[in-house]
Amino acid sequence: MILNGKRALVTGGTRGIGKSIVFELAANGATVVFTYFSSDEIARKLEEESAAMGYKIFGFKADAASFEEAEKTINFTLEKLGGLDILVNNAGITKDNLLLRMSPQDFDSVISANLKSVFNYTKLALKPMMGQRYGRMINISSVVGIIGNAGQSNYVASKAGVIGFTKSTAKEVASRNITCNAVAPGFIVTDMTGALNDKQKEAILTMVPLKRMGEGDDVAKTVVFLASDAASYITGQVIAVDGGMTM
């Protein structure tokens, strides 16, 4: 229970890596608000599931790309939890295509959902964190933000932007006892990777020294570490959770 009494907000928390982060934070003692964009039913189910496990988790519907809705989310979190100690910017989408075929709309929507959302929530979370002179900010990037990937120029640009944003934020807020780090997952078992065929998965594993895909919990445990006092002297860093893929 290394996060006992801490108050956390996770964007995009109903599935995949986000869901794993929400439950791992709660399992370590934090009270968590998570955002979601589409299904009220899934959000309510997660709340019920968590309550049965003795966790305190609350969903809030919001479009992460909207500054106004992010502001409502922060206000809800402060009212519901009484403060905010941990922010995890996880919300994101993909609209993959080769650059010659990518529409301006697909580029803009991915940048808005994946990068502008990080600006929205970070900016709004700064005031309460600076006031209490404590905060842990963790932004979910991707290994492709480090090494690039064909057919994902919009997604890669957004995730590389998250890394640069993380470093700049870390320098701005360090004097207020607020840390800001990024986690860069590699190939993690999610709905998206579940759609890959065996040949595609084999090709991926040739690039991973550990010869397996990661689990959502691998990322979530790294987030918990960065959110804890054990990581109080770590800021502005990018931790790749990728089975050795980018080394």
Side-chain angles (χ1 to χ4, degrees):
M1 304 291 282
I2 60 174
L3 301 178
N4 197 35
K6 300 298 184 186
R7 301 154 298 185
L9 169 61
V10 180
T11 65
T14 58
R15 59 188 178 131
I17 291 172
K19 180 180 177 182
S20 294
I21 291 171
V22 168
F23 275 84
E24 193 67 27
L25 288 169
N28 279 276
T31 305
V32 186
V33 168
F34 68 89
T35 70
Y36 65 100
F37 183 61
S38 53
S39 175
D40 292 323
E41 183 180 353
I42 292 176
R44 298 292 82 78
K45 185 177 179 181
L46 287 181
E47 288 180 333
E48 293 168 5
E49 183 182 342
S50 67
M53 300 170 71
Y55 301 158
K56 295 179 181 178
I57 297 175
F58 308 97
F60 190 83
K61 191 170 189 176
D63 178 1
S66 166
F67 187 83
E68 291 74 19
E69 293 190 27
E71 193 167 27
K72 291 177 183 177
T73 305
I74 292 290
N75 290 337
F76 171 83
T77 302
L78 295 177
E79 292 171 8
K80 193 76 173 177
L81 308 187
L84 178 60
D85 305 301
I86 301 161
L87 171 66
V88 183
N89 284 304
N90 169 75
I93 62 172
T94 57
K95 290 185 180 292
D96 298 347
N97 215 332
L98 294 175
L99 187 55
L100 282 172
R101 299 174 183 169
M102 185 176 293
S103 70
Q105 293 78 17
D106 283 352
F107 186 88
D108 290 345
S109 62
V110 170
I111 294 295
S112 292
N114 298 7
L115 180 56
K116 184 176 180 291
S117 63
V118 178
F119 162 81
N120 292 342
Y121 280 90
T122 302
K123 177 178 173 64
L124 292 165
L126 277 179
K127 188 173 181 180
M129 287 185 177
M130 290 176 76
Q132 65 195 18
R133 299 188 69 84
Y134 179 90
R136 298 284 183 266
M137 294 180 170
I138 301 105
N139 300 324
I140 306 302
S141 179
S142 169
V143 291
V144 300
I146 301 170
I147 63 175
N149 197 32
Q152 286 193 306
S153 59
N154 50 1
Y155 184 76
V156 170
S158 71
K159 293 303 186 178
V162 167
I163 290 173
F165 185 88
T166 297
K167 292 176 179 290
S168 292
T169 302
K171 288 188 174 183
E172 287 192 25
V173 302
S175 64
R176 299 300 181 95
N177 193 33
I178 301 170
T179 64
C180 185
N181 293 287
V183 176
F187 290 104
I188 306 297
V189 177
T190 63
D191 292 343
M192 284 189 289
T193 56
L196 300 174
N197 60 42
D198 290 341
K199 188 175 181 180
Q200 289 171 318
K201 290 178 181 179
E202 287 174 12
I204 288 171
L205 293 180
T206 62
M207 298 183 287
V208 182
L210 284 180
K211 299 302 178 188
R212 65 175 178 86
M213 288 190 181
E215 301 286 342
D217 285 350
D218 293 319
V219 180
K221 290 178 188 300
T222 305
V223 169
V224 167
F225 165 68
L226 290 172
S228 74
D229 289 339
S232 63
Y233 200 57
I234 299 173
T235 196
Q237 302 305 305
V238 182
I239 300 180
V241 183
D242 65 355
M245 179 182 165
T246 57
M247 68 173 156

